[in-house]
Structures are given as C-alpha cells and as structure tokens.
Amino acid sequence: MAQPRSNAFNNIIAQFDEPWKRYAAFAVIVALLLIAPISLGPYATVILTNALLYVVLALGLNVVVGYAGLLDLGYAAFFAVGAYTVGILTHTFGLDFWLTLPFAVGAAMIAGVIIGTPTLRLRSDYLAIVTLGFGEIVRFSARNMEITGGASGISGIQQPWLFGWHINTPFEFYYVFVVLAIIAVIVSVRLQHSRLGRAWLYVRHDEDAAEAMGIDTVRVKLAAYVIGAIFGSISGAFFAVNLGAISPESFSFQQSVLILMAVILGGMGKIPGVILGAFIVVLAPELLRDLGEYRLLLFAVGLLLIMLFRPSGIWPVRGK
C-alpha cells in the first residue's frame, strides 16, 4: 500500500520540475519569508533565522555530499573557521566585519585544501573517519588556544554596519539571512548546471569511469571541498556577529550531524529537498516543544518513518 502513495507523492514533486512552476514556487516562498516576521513575532523570527542559517550550511554540504558524493562528518569545522576568523579579527584586532569576510573565506579555502588533499584517494568509511577527525581537531584547537578564548570562546563581537545602517536586531538579522539563503540557492543552481557540476555528478556515480573519461577527479573533488568550505565559512561569519559570542561547543560533532541530516532527509543533490530538510531539522523540534521530554523521541520516530517510506529523501533526484 505504501508504494502507490509514494508514487503519487513523486508525481506531485515532479510537477515542480517545470521551470515556470519552480520559479513561481520560489517567488511565493520568498514572499512568505519577507512577511513572516510581521505576523509571527520575535521568537518565531529567531527560529526562522536559525532555519535559514541551516539552509545555507546544508546547501554547502550538499555540494560535497550531494553533488560530489563525498561523505563529510566534520563540516562544522568550516563553520567554526569562518566564525572564529571573524570573531578574532573584529574583537581582538578591531577590524570592520566586512573587511574580515575575505579573510574568513580565505581561511576556509585553506582548511578545505587541508582536509581535501589527504582524503582525495579515500572513500566510504575511511573518508568519513578522516573528516570526523578533522572536525574534532578544529573544535579542540579552538577550546585550547588562547587567541580563540579557550573554552569560554569569544564574546562582545560587534554587529556590522552597512551604509550607515547598524544591523543589530533579530528582525534585521533575519532579513540578512534571507538574502544569504537566496544567494546560496542561486549559486547552488549555477554550480549544479555548470561543467564542474556535471563532473561532480560523474564522480559521484562512478569515480573510476569518470577518471577513464578524462575527468581530473582529484581537482574536481578538491573543488567540492573548497566550495563547500566557503559556504560554511560565510555562514559562520554571520552566525558570529548575529549572536555576538561564540564558543567551541557551537561547532560540535552534533552540528555536523544535524547539517548532514538535513541533506539526507531532504534528498541529496536536490536543492528544494535540502532546503526542506534544513527547515524540518530546525522547526520540527520547536513545533514539538509543548510535548516536553517526549519531543525528541517523537522527532526521532518521525525521522525513522520518513527514512522508511522515503529512503532517498523527501525530495530526491528524479529516478530515485
């Protein structure tokens, strides 16, 4: 009985593969996001801001996992690199936030090369273990270095100014993250349909065949790590100035798992699915908050049911 319902759901999803319907749906979603704070209030605005942050992070990890097929269990490391780079440069050295962004991106690119280079010949479980180790190395380094504030982290990070506009309220940061999410979606779409995106697809499905076709798999996989790291670092930079304080525990293994969960739950490689997965991961526990100690149990049961009936994700790539 589950199969017909699944096919019906697939048919509904397939309707949005038509370009004009996809653009219309995107426009409606953007319009809803723009008016959401007015009708939902401050608390819901903060939760939605967090969901939009996860959208950007999940789209970045989707480049690595969904496009290139490289399992990454330490993605929060790039998130931490961006946040700490901005935190150190603004708080310790007094630089303007916008001047620190290129440094955050540069640091993330270096981190992407560092993690990407030794893992280029690894696959499956071995790749997962190495990326997990890298994520924990970054977190423990932040906890034990003086410049990062140790276990206490960095506090008092100044909110940015933009053309005389001081971005310092939850509502203002919400709209900043709306813009970030829109840019992340546009970049993801362009990457997916680019020559590099097609190379990632070939590497994901059969790396040996892709190499036989003349694709430089080393360069292609390294590009996935670096681009994913850039997404993560920019997210971390705005996360740091939004909260005004960061600590090592904000970039734990649990964060990497939640971001990966959003990608897998929504559908690896499918941008609408990844966005949907990010919103589910953030909003579902909040919607179940009234259930108290049972909310995480019910959330876990819901995830299991989704994976049982939609093993390729809620919105998978066509053909899965």
Side-chain angles (χ1 to χ4, degrees), residues 6-318:
S6 180
N7 288 337
F9 188 73
N10 288 336
N11 291 334
I12 294 173
I13 290 176
Q15 297 297 319
F16 291 95
D17 285 335
E18 297 183 31
W20 72 270
K21 290 183 179 180
R22 189 163 59 243
Y23 296 143
F26 183 72
V28 170
I29 292 172
V30 171
L32 291 175
L33 287 174
L34 292 176
I35 64 174
I38 301 173
S39 56
L40 296 179
Y43 178 76
T45 300
V46 172
I47 302 302
L48 285 175
T49 301
N50 194 33
L52 291 168
L53 169 66
Y54 270 79
V55 167
V56 181
L57 288 168
L59 288 172
L61 184 58
N62 187 52
V63 172
V64 181
V65 178
Y67 291 173
L70 305 170
L71 183 58
D72 189 345
L73 294 180
Y75 189 70
F78 304 124
F79 185 35
V81 167
Y84 271 103
T85 301
V86 168
I88 292 170
L89 293 179
T90 56
H91 182 266
T92 305
F93 296 97
L95 292 182
D96 181 76
F97 167 73
W98 303 105
L99 294 178
T100 65
L101 278 181
F103 291 98
V105 171
M109 292 175 69
I110 294 172
V113 172
I114 291 174
I115 182 58
T117 301
T119 61
L120 293 177
R121 298 297 177 184
L122 299 176
R123 301 182 187 181
S124 187
D125 301 338
Y126 302 101
L127 177 62
I129 292 172
V130 171
T131 55
L132 171 60
F134 177 75
E136 290 302 288
I137 287 171
V138 170
R139 185 168 69 91
F140 280 109
S141 297
R143 178 184 289 178
N144 292 283
M145 293 175 63
E146 184 177 351
I147 195 171
T148 59
S152 299
I154 302 174
S155 60
I157 301 173
Q158 296 297 316
Q159 279 80 17
W161 291 78
L162 180 63
F163 303 118
W165 169 37
H166 191 198
I167 308 172
N168 62 351
T169 68
F171 289 99
E172 291 169 341
F173 272 107
Y174 169 81
Y175 288 110
V176 169
F177 278 95
V178 168
V179 173
L180 282 178
I182 292 173
I183 294 173
V185 169
I186 294 172
V187 172
S188 295
V189 171
R190 295 299 297 270
L191 285 171
Q192 185 179 32
H193 297 289
S194 67
R195 183 176 180 181
L196 180 59
R198 291 190 293 271
W200 283 331
L201 179 64
Y202 300 145
V203 169
R204 174 185 174 183
H205 286 290
D206 194 328
E207 185 175 336
D208 294 328
E211 193 167 4
M213 291 170 58
I215 295 175
D216 187 347
T217 57
V218 172
R219 181 184 63 83
V220 166
K221 290 197 291 185
L222 190 59
Y225 274 117
V226 171
I227 293 174
I230 292 173
F231 274 74
S233 68
I234 293 176
S235 302
F238 283 92
F239 171 79
V241 294
N242 181 22
L243 291 186
I246 52 176
S247 68
E249 301 312 312
S250 299
F251 313 102
S252 63
F253 172 64
Q254 181 182 359
Q255 293 294 334
S256 296
V257 171
L258 287 174
I259 301 167
L260 181 61
M261 185 191 301
V263 176
I264 296 175
L265 186 67
M268 292 189 297
K270 195 71 173 179
I271 294 173
V274 171
I275 296 172
L276 182 60
F279 272 93
I280 290 175
V281 165
V282 175
L283 298 183
E286 291 299 325
L287 294 175
L288 298 173
R289 181 172 291 276
D290 291 339
L291 299 176
E293 59 185 7
Y294 296 104
R295 67 172 181 141
L296 293 181
L297 174 62
L298 292 177
F299 178 54
V301 171
L303 294 179
L304 288 174
L305 291 175
I306 291 174
M307 288 293 96
L308 284 174
F309 291 99
R310 305 289 298 179
S312 297
I314 299 174
W315 199 315
V317 175
R318 181 182 288 185

